[in-house]
């Protein structure tokens, strides 16, 4: 469980990746649509998406010529179980997680 958990927390550590997850809470998105709000290259966004996919937080599939990204909320289950073991955290609630991501995105980053 530890290596998988490490990849999930490592993926969540980056504000760009958290922003992407927040965007995907709404619906599946094409890679180009994911990249649109960010001031970075498509190649840089692709690297973030690769990290999210390797952690299991998103999946990607090609539909015609377009690559689509989909949130995989079950990937947070192991992290949620691990946090619950401390007795201070409740199970991950997607609505609460969305509020958390929105708050993180509204907070200025160093």
């Amino acid at each position: 469980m530890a290596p998988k958990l490490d990849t999930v927390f490592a993926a969540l550590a980056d504000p760009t990746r958290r922003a992407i997850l927040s965007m995907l809470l709404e619906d599946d998105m094409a890679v180009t649509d994911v990249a649109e709000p960010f001031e970075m290259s498509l190649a840089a966004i692709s690297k973030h998406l690769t990290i999210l996919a390797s952690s299991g937080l998103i999946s990607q599939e090609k539909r015609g010529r377009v690559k689509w990204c989909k949130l995989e909320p079950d990937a947070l289950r192991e992290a949620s179980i691990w946090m619950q073991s401390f007795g201070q955290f409740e199970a991950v609630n997607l609505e609460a997680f969305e509020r958390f991501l929105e708050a993180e995105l509204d907070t200025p980053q160093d």
Side-chain angles (χ1 to χ4, degrees):
M1 182 162 130
K4 181 69 174 171
L5 192 58
D6 290 346
T7 60
V8 169
F9 282 120
L12 292 172
D14 184 85
T16 299
R17 292 191 286 270
R18 291 193 305 269
I20 291 169
L21 291 175
S22 182
M23 292 165 53
L24 293 174
L25 278 169
E26 298 297 321
D27 201 2
D28 299 358
M29 295 179 75
V31 169
T32 53
D33 294 333
V34 170
E36 187 176 311
F38 299 99
E39 293 183 14
M40 61 180 73
S41 68
L42 188 57
I45 289 296
S46 291
K47 287 180 182 181
H48 284 294
L49 293 173
T50 298
I51 292 167
L52 289 169
S54 67
S55 70
L57 291 168
I58 68 166
S59 59
Q60 293 182 305
E61 72 172 314
K62 197 157 186 178
R63 298 179 197 163
R65 293 188 206 177
V66 179
K67 195 173 204 179
W68 287 80
C69 301
K70 176 183 178 184
L71 181 68
E72 297 294 344
D74 287 343
L76 292 172
R77 185 170 319 216
E78 283 184 40
S80 175
I81 291 168
W82 182 82
M83 289 187 292
Q84 286 178 41
S85 69
F86 291 95
Q88 298 172 333
F89 301 96
E90 297 179 13
V92 171
N93 174 311
L94 286 182
E95 289 177 7
F97 184 58
E98 181 176 11
R99 287 191 300 271
F100 167 77
L101 289 174
E102 287 172 356
E104 283 290 307
L105 294 175
D106 290 340
T107 304
Q109 301 296 320
D110 293 332

